[in-house]
Amino acid sequence: MNGNGPTKLVDPLEDPVPGVGTYEDFNTIDWVREKSKDRDRHREITNKSRQSTVALLHSVSDAFSGWLLMLLVGLMSGALAGGIDIAAHWLTDMKGGVCLIGFWFNHEHCCWTSNETTFQERDRCPQWQSWAELITGTSEGAFAYIVNYLMYIFWALLFSFLAVTLVRAFAPYACGSGIPEIKTILSGFIIRGYLGKWTLIIKTITLVLAVSSGLSLGKEGPLVHVACCCANILCHLFTKYRKNEAKRREVLSAAAAVGVSVAFGAPIGGVLFSLEEVSYYFPLKTLWRSFFAALVAAFTLRSINPFGNSRLVLFYVEFHAPWHLVELAPFILLGIFGGLWGALFIRANIAWCRRRKSTRLGHYPVIEVLVVAALTAVLAFPNSYTRMSGAELISELFNDCSLLDSSHNFIYFVFFVFLPVSILADRPAGKGLYTALWQLALALVFKMLITVITFGMKVPSGLFIPSMAIGAIAGRLLGVGMEQLAYYNHDWFIFKGWCSPGADCITPGLYAMVGAAACLGGVTRMTVSLVVIMFELTGGLEYIVPLMAATMTSKWVADAFGREGIYEAHIRLNGYPFLEPKEEFEHSSLTVDVMRPRRSDPALAVLTQEGMTVGEVEALVESTHYSGFPVVVSKESQRLVGFALRRDLLISIDNARKRQEGIVSASQVVFTEHAPSQAPDAPPPLRLRGIMDLSPFTVTDHTPMDITVDIFRKLGLRQCLVTHNGRLLGIITKKDILKHMAQIANRDPDSILFN
């Protein structure tokens, strides 16, 4: 102590420094520290609640805040999804024409009140005029067709241009589907601004534009990102979630469930999707909260009723015809097709995205989007199946063609007009059917090729709808083939006994549904959640077995070509530090082989618990780029005391220089319980025991790497120290493990960029 009286020592434990315990951008959170922080906070509130009524009320409101937050997330996401659906529907119809009684009506709403629609031409009403009728006054003839064609291309280019420019100018993070990044964020990584308010606003607007532009993309994946943005923004209203990164990730897991719930009107499927596909840490409490939030969101969307059919999705169907055991063979065939397509798509899309990253193509995102949009519009317009939006196409393909159907494209219509209404059984193919099958086959090839180059562009793009459309087309083609086979050969051994002449044996719409599930499963590798989403979508409970068979087959087939789904492949392409929980570590190495420093490296940078000055600590921190430093008893003994994070050290030293008298570069830095005795004229010491982790995770140098990888996965560690007989040898970080795994798999270890 100096002569001028005792100086107060600032201890960060008693006097919390703002900023200590927070993280920098592109760093991984420390799950263990965050969870223990939350437990301490909870314990403190519980202890206080026994003392006074006010504290008891505070305790109750704290327990209730999680449910309140879920309610808000559900309401906000449901409202946004409803708005996106309505706006996308309106803008998609705008490419074809405009409503004279009010330009804000889409085609369907425009003709609702009209008394002049006929059954054959239920889409034609005087209130709705195509662009050709407005400009040339007639809807027939080659000139009218060309006018409509050019207007279609014009609107497609305008919408896609607006979408890509808004993303580029205001929120670069709003592009893509967002699911790979959300998976990475939920595993504990921090990407600042990815779930911010600008991203939310721009993603909502550009999603509508991108879907309306007719590009081969869906809005389902981006809706998960939108819901997570809502959750992240609402988290700031509650201290408990604002200040704790692990708690916030529980809310984001629930928000992912909400996203799927509003995208497909499948609340239970959403919860299972979050559990199976995106979440890293999913405790039971999060399961209940996800369920509640998904319920609220689905209810909100149902009250908005965006499609006007009291359903939450455009393609709700109801089949009642039973399926027969013989049909399992074609269903499994569809599963094989889905698996092959999934594996092929992932390879092709990743190769294309890598090319975009490594060549000059990546420097011109606006031109790329415009070229793809123009190509899509030019090729899509002549074929009525590709001209309509993806969701409408799926809805058509799922539908069963009966006489009293409101479907746009009656595949059998040509044959039907001349038949009595009573015949709704299987029927022979008319001329119209062959045309339709040709168009569908062309649509299948077109969709397959264009989706590969569309996914990953700088506009919001989901993959669910295009994948389902491809599967639905393939399924419908197979279904119609089976139907004709059964019609002409009902005396065959396989059809005998269950398919009598004149009966309705085979439902082509069911094949489309199974095909859609198989292709989506092949691309994303979802299983349980996918089957539940599909039967919630279609209300077809009796078709669970065909769906399960096709989904499982597609997963097995696709896994034979490569274990990762499209989202994992994109995570790896972008170099995010994500430890895949599904991937097995099969190599027999020890921690001593992976830890740093290696034999040729300089010694490990450490702090000693006493004897270092503020200037020396600052110099050490400045001269290295490590995220943290082990604290040892002394340089000679190397016995481990704890671990201090770089950010906390810098903030604490900077704060002490401002707030504590006498702290200079020559002041001692002390990590011990009691300050050591000093010379009378020495400056006061700086005590930093409060910022040190006193129980860092350690493994010995002979721990097998597969156990270490398991520890990292299950506890969500950032780093782990390696000791030998209690002496510190080195350190292993999450990035070291990822680099090691990349090396084993013969990939470039420097592809893991962040952290």
Side-chain angles (χ1 to χ4, degrees), residues 138-182:
T138 171
S139 62
E140 304 301 322
F143 184 58
Y145 183 80
I146 292 167
V147 170
N148 278 333
Y149 202 159
L150 291 174
M151 285 306 284
Y152 183 88
I153 296 170
F154 164 73
W155 286 112
L157 286 173
L158 178 69
F159 293 155
S160 54
F161 175 71
L162 282 174
V164 70
T165 348
L166 284 170
V167 166
R168 220 178 145 198
F170 297 104
Y173 281 154
C175 67
S177 93
I179 293 180
E181 284 77 7
I182 283 162

Side-chain angles (χ1 to χ4, degrees), residues 132-263:
E133 284 173 294
L134 271 181
I135 296 164
T136 64
T138 171
S139 62
E140 304 301 322
F143 184 58
Y145 183 80
I146 292 167
V147 170
N148 278 333
Y149 202 159
L150 291 174
M151 285 306 284
Y152 183 88
I153 296 170
F154 164 73
W155 286 112
L157 286 173
L158 178 69
F159 293 155
S160 54
F161 175 71
L162 282 174
V164 70
T165 348
L166 284 170
V167 166
R168 220 178 145 198
F170 297 104
Y173 281 154
C175 67
S177 93
I179 293 180
E181 284 77 7
I182 283 162
K183 278 188 80 152
T184 313
I185 288 171
L186 287 176
S187 78
F189 194 55
I190 288 181
I191 309 178
R192 295 235 183 277
Y194 197 80
L195 300 174
K197 54 180 180 299
W198 271 111
T199 309
L200 174 65
I201 295 166
I202 297 299
K203 185 116 187 179
T204 309
I205 297 167
T206 54
L207 180 53
V208 172
L209 291 167
V211 170
S212 314
S213 69
L215 287 164
S216 177
L217 44 85
K219 62 180 184 322
E220 280 59 25
L223 274 173
V224 173
H225 186 180
V226 166
C228 286
C229 288
C230 294
N232 188 51
I233 290 163
L234 291 167
C235 273
H236 288 285
L237 304 175
F238 301 88
T239 327
K240 169 162 129 182
Y241 296 102
R242 187 173 64 236
K243 292 192 172 170
N244 195 304
E245 293 287 349
K247 293 295 285 178
R248 193 181 306 182
R249 272 156 184 71
E250 290 178 22
V251 178
L252 294 178
S253 285
V258 169
V260 174
S261 169
V262 291

Side-chain angles (χ1 to χ4, degrees), residues 423-578:
I423 302 180
L424 291 183
D426 287 351
R427 47 257 163 194
K431 243 206 229 81
L433 181 66
Y434 291 119
T435 323
L437 291 183
W438 260 114
Q439 287 183 326
L440 276 179
L442 288 171
L444 179 66
V445 176
F446 168 71
K447 284 266 181 204
M448 280 175 146
L449 295 174
I450 208 83
T451 307
V452 170
I453 56 172
T454 308
F455 187 66
M457 288 196 311
K458 296 288 174 232
V459 288
S461 54
L463 196 56
F464 282 34
I465 291 281
S467 307
M468 283 171 72
I470 287 163
I473 294 172
R476 188 79 197 203
L477 290 171
L478 183 66
V480 172
M482 283 293 290
E483 187 182 40
Q484 294 304 314
L485 194 70
Y487 179 81
Y488 287 113
N489 306 293
H490 49 75
D491 49 353
W492 276 15
F493 163 68
I494 50 169
F495 298 120
K496 239 186 188 138
W498 64 280
C499 188
S500 50
D504 197 2
C505 325
I506 284 179
T507 318
L510 170 60
Y511 284 75
M513 191 171 121
V514 172
C519 278
L520 188 50
V523 172
T524 60
R525 308 298 156 86
M526 301 180 338
T527 48
V528 187
S529 50
L530 178 61
V531 171
V532 175
I533 287 172
M534 287 307 288
F535 86 71
E536 280 190 271
L537 257 188
T538 52
L541 265 172
E542 60 265 41
Y543 304 119
I544 283 189
V545 175
L547 285 171
M548 284 171 82
T551 311
M552 213 55 241
T553 313
S554 88
K555 183 177 163 57
W556 283 333
V557 171
D559 277 352
F561 292 94
R563 292 302 295 273
E564 51 186 18
I566 186 74
Y567 300 132
E568 289 79 16
H570 272 273
I571 286 174
R572 215 183 63 211
L573 179 74
N574 293 331
Y576 297 131
F578 180 73

Side-chain angles (χ1 to χ4, degrees), residues 41 172 229 250 286 344 419 485 494 524 526 609 614 636 650 694 711:
R41 189 195 64 82
C229 288
E250 290 178 22
T286 309
L344 177 78
L419 284 179
L485 194 70
I494 50 169
T524 60
M526 301 180 338
Q609 66 174 1
V614 170
E636 296 72 44
L650 288 173
L694 289 167
I711 294 173

Side-chain angles (χ1 to χ4, degrees), residues 80-143:
L80 278 173
I84 288 171
D85 283 339
I86 291 167
H89 210 148
W90 171 60
L91 285 181
T92 304
D93 286 349
M94 194 135 148
K95 289 186 307 197
V98 71
C99 188
L100 299 181
I101 47 176
F103 70 91
W104 56 88
F105 288 117
N106 64 29
H107 195 159
E108 198 180 349
H109 287 161
C110 194
C111 291
W112 254 357
T113 49
S114 170
N115 300 326
E116 293 154 65
T117 47
T118 59
F119 182 70
Q120 275 85 6
E121 298 188 328
R122 67 184 70 67
D123 287 340
R124 301 285 291 275
C125 66
Q127 288 86 341
W128 177 269
Q129 291 211 332
S130 68
W131 293 109
E133 284 173 294
L134 271 181
I135 296 164
T136 64
T138 171
S139 62
E140 304 301 322
F143 184 58

